[in-house]
Amino acid sequence: MADQIITISDKAAGKSFDYPLKTGTLGPGALDISSLYRDAGFFTYDPGFMATASCHSAITFIDGEKGVLLYRGYPIEQLATKSSFLEVAYLLLYANLPTEEELNHFEHLITSHTMLNENLKRFLSGFHYDAHPMAMLCGVVGSLSAFYHESIDVNDPRYREVSAHRLIAKMPTIAAAAYKHFVGEPIMYPRNDLRYGANFLHMMFATPCADYEPGLLAEKALNLLFILHADHEQNASTSTVRLAGSSGANPFACIAAGIASLWGPAHGGANEAVLDMLEEIGHVKNVAKFIDKAKDKDDPFRLMGFGHRVYKNYDPRAKIIREVCHQVLEEFPGASDSPLLELAVKLEEIALSDEYFVERKLYPNVDFYSGIIYRALGIPRNMFTVMFAVARTVGWVSHWMEMMSDPANRIGRPRQIYHGPGVRDYVPISKR
Ligand code: CMC
């Protein structure tokens, strides 16, 4: 079917220009204005990319109005209940669910790349004892390019695939090593006989003196959280990875850039901020005061874990996590988070009936409940965003691979509306 044509008129100049409306399989079309500057001599202005599609992609689809999330066409609710994280990783990377043989092979490939070069331990030990694990993750992942320097050829699809496997495999090892540095315990080697999530818990909580046997529920909860966080279309960190990669930069540097972007409290850093906020609120009786603060335009406070650029309905991931939160807290009677969950549920209830939040369609997002689960599993707060990064690495490398094999890929280079001084002459320092 031919593209629909949309005409843009420059009435002052008495000119009009035709542009094709590109459509995909699902979702709204996008006006292809790539020749606008050449045709009309001006740019488009869209801060925050509120109305800009930056690429074609076949990986993830979101319908924010209806609260729908699909990975390669499969609803997130089905994957969350039926799949494993590595199966989802295969799906995101290779576009289809694997056969049993393909999955076994993929799991073997990933487990055979879990170890770190021993020199990386020295790199890690150079960090200050209380360095934030996200700072360590960012630095160590970037430094991987130094370890695989010889084999970096981003134009070779085989190399790209191996790098993607390395990143998915090593991310939990690096994340757990950053945690061990933080708590002052020896870094644990990965165990290739364990599944992805169980191995991660082993590297976090075992010591050379004591094994750690993760319970099935802990592994199941981790598997679920990783699936829910695995990809989310062109979010800030994924777009950062794509932009970094568009220049031909190596994948380790690109993923380090993605980690940096994820860290912010408006993005992946929100899960840590939610727990800080719940503790600050402290008691159900204080909820109304904090809701008022969130509504006050003169107060920078926002309800963390609320609102989303794309979802104008309940975030489907938050719905799933909310259910599991109750199960996890019931199964971990030692976890002291039940009061926090009660507080979160109350906060959600009050916010969802408040006109301010209703009018702006502000619903709980994926980060609202995830921290409560992580804490119940014994994962410390400064590791929450690191956990998000481990899972999202799958999405980042899938997008990077998709972009690198797209013949339409060109360096990302936005323009600006310049507000600085006009041309002026240099004045010698003695005359200023
Ligand atoms: N609390 C109070 N007011 C809010 C909130 C909030 N959490 N989020 C948005 N608003 C208000 C905002 O003040 C604005 O009001 P008005 O129209 O009167 O100026 C309106 O809602 C629209 O907000 P926006 O900032 O223009 O929306 P955005 O699409 O640029 O921002 C967001 C989306 C997620 C950054 C924002 O909702 C937010 O800061 N939420 C809290 C942080 C958070 O939970 N982030 C995690 C996002 S989901 C996981 C991820 O992406 O990693």
Side-chain angles (χ1 to χ4, degrees):
M1 202 176 70
D3 289 327
Q4 185 186 336
I5 300 297
I6 306 276
T7 303
I8 295 181
S9 302
D10 177 352
K11 288 196 176 139
K15 289 183 189 160
S16 62
F17 311 96
D18 290 343
Y19 296 106
L21 188 72
K22 302 276 187 200
T23 48
T25 37
L26 296 170
L31 195 60
D32 178 354
I33 45 93
S34 48
S35 64
L36 178 74
Y37 177 62
R38 220 171 36 240
D39 298 340
F42 49 79
F43 304 127
T44 55
Y45 175 63
D46 181 21
F49 308 115
M50 302 283 287
T52 296
S54 62
C55 60
H56 288 270
S57 181
I59 300 175
T60 291
F61 174 76
I62 303 172
D63 182 334
E65 300 299 325
K66 294 196 181 125
V68 169
L69 170 61
L70 311 176
Y71 290 168
R72 300 280 190 186
Y74 294 100
I76 192 66
E77 293 80 3
Q78 292 182 24
L79 294 170
T81 47
K82 299 181 177 161
S83 195
S84 72
F85 177 62
L86 282 188
E87 189 182 33
V88 167
Y90 185 100
L91 172 70
L92 289 168
L93 272 175
Y94 298 111
N96 285 304
L97 285 170
T99 61
E100 202 170 344
E101 197 184 329
E102 285 166 338
L103 183 58
N104 287 340
H105 179 61
F106 183 64
E107 284 176 346
H108 171 73
L109 279 178
I110 297 300
T111 37
S112 60
H113 282 297
T114 45
M115 288 229 293
L116 299 180
N117 187 300
E118 287 293 306
N119 288 331
L120 257 184
K121 288 191 188 164
R122 291 216 294 277
F123 186 86
L124 266 159
S125 62
F127 283 102
H128 201 50
Y129 73 95
D130 62 351
H132 195 288
M134 276 299 274
M136 290 189 255
L137 192 70
C138 206
V140 174
V141 171
S143 79
L144 286 178
S145 33
F147 289 88
Y148 299 106
H149 185 71
E150 291 306 314
S151 62
I152 290 177
D153 178 4
V154 293
N155 297 313
D156 178 346
R158 176 71 202 125
Y159 162 74
R160 295 201 293 263
E161 192 180 21
V162 172
S163 306
H165 294 164
R166 279 191 175 127
L167 276 156
I168 295 170
K170 292 185 198 308
M171 199 58 93
T173 318
I174 298 171
Y179 168 70
K180 288 295 196 188
H181 179 79
F182 184 78
V183 291
E185 288 179 5
I187 292 171
M188 295 301 290
Y189 284 107
R191 269 182 51 189
N192 292 356
D193 60 316
L194 294 177
R195 285 183 295 263
Y196 194 85
N199 176 45
F200 181 73
L201 291 169
H202 149 78
M203 291 187 291
M204 286 280 291
F205 299 122
T207 67
C209 338
D211 278 347
Y212 173 84
E213 282 305 323
L216 259 189
L217 183 71
E219 197 189 334
K220 213 175 122 200
L222 201 61
N223 186 60
L224 174 88
L225 287 171
F226 279 3
I227 290 175
L228 297 180
H229 281 104
D231 193 40
H232 212 232
E233 205 225 58
Q234 309 308 324
N235 55 85
S237 56
T238 302
S239 298
T240 303
V241 169
R242 279 185 176 261
L243 194 58
S246 74
S247 69
N250 78 72
F252 304 105
C254 296
I255 301 305
I259 294 168
S261 169
L262 186 76
W263 196 359
H267 193 6
N271 52 15
E272 195 178 330
V274 168
L275 233 67
D276 292 341
M277 176 189 75
L278 289 175
E279 282 185 357
E280 198 188 339
I281 297 175
H283 194 275
V284 175
K285 71 177 187 324
N286 300 326
V287 166
K289 190 176 95 196
F290 279 85
I291 297 252
D292 285 345
K293 263 167 83 63
K295 288 158 45 175
D296 181 355
K297 289 282 154 220
D298 298 323
D299 189 327
F301 175 78
R302 282 187 165 201
L303 273 197
M304 298 316 286
F306 259 78
H308 197 275
R309 169 64 60 78
V310 183
Y311 292 120
K312 300 303 165 201
N313 200 325
Y314 214 102
D315 180 337
R317 303 166 299 172
K319 219 181 258 174
I320 300 168
I321 293 185
R322 190 182 196 271
E323 292 294 307
V324 175
C325 222
H326 288 280
Q327 286 171 23
V328 168
L329 291 187
E330 269 165 33
E331 293 270 337
F332 286 85
S336 59
D337 279 337
S338 299
L340 273 195
L341 179 61
E342 274 165 39
L343 186 56
V345 170
K346 192 71 191 161
L347 181 63
E348 176 189 338
E349 189 188 302
I350 297 178
L352 289 183
S353 58
D354 189 291
E355 200 182 324
Y356 173 95
F357 290 86
V358 174
E359 238 175 43
R360 290 168 181 76
K361 299 188 176 165
L362 299 169
Y363 293 86
N365 59 49
V366 68
D367 289 324
F368 192 64
Y369 288 106
S370 62
I372 297 178
I373 301 186
Y374 281 136
R375 207 164 92 151
L377 299 182
I379 291 166
R381 195 175 313 183
N382 62 5
M383 283 293 289
F384 293 176
T385 314
V386 171
M387 306 298 284
F388 193 155
V390 170
R392 185 55 60 84
T393 296
V394 165
W396 290 331
V397 294
S398 302
H399 282 271
W400 177 74
M401 299 243 293
E402 182 181 66
M403 180 189 76
M404 293 305 288
S405 60
D406 181 353
N409 176 37
R410 350 177 35 188
I411 187 166
R413 178 45 170 104
R415 301 304 299 266
Q416 61 174 5
I417 304 173
Y418 174 70
H419 286 283
V423 179
R424 49 183 173 164
D425 287 325
Y426 178 83
V427 180
I429 198 159
S430 58
K431 300 217 167 125
R432 280 176 228 160

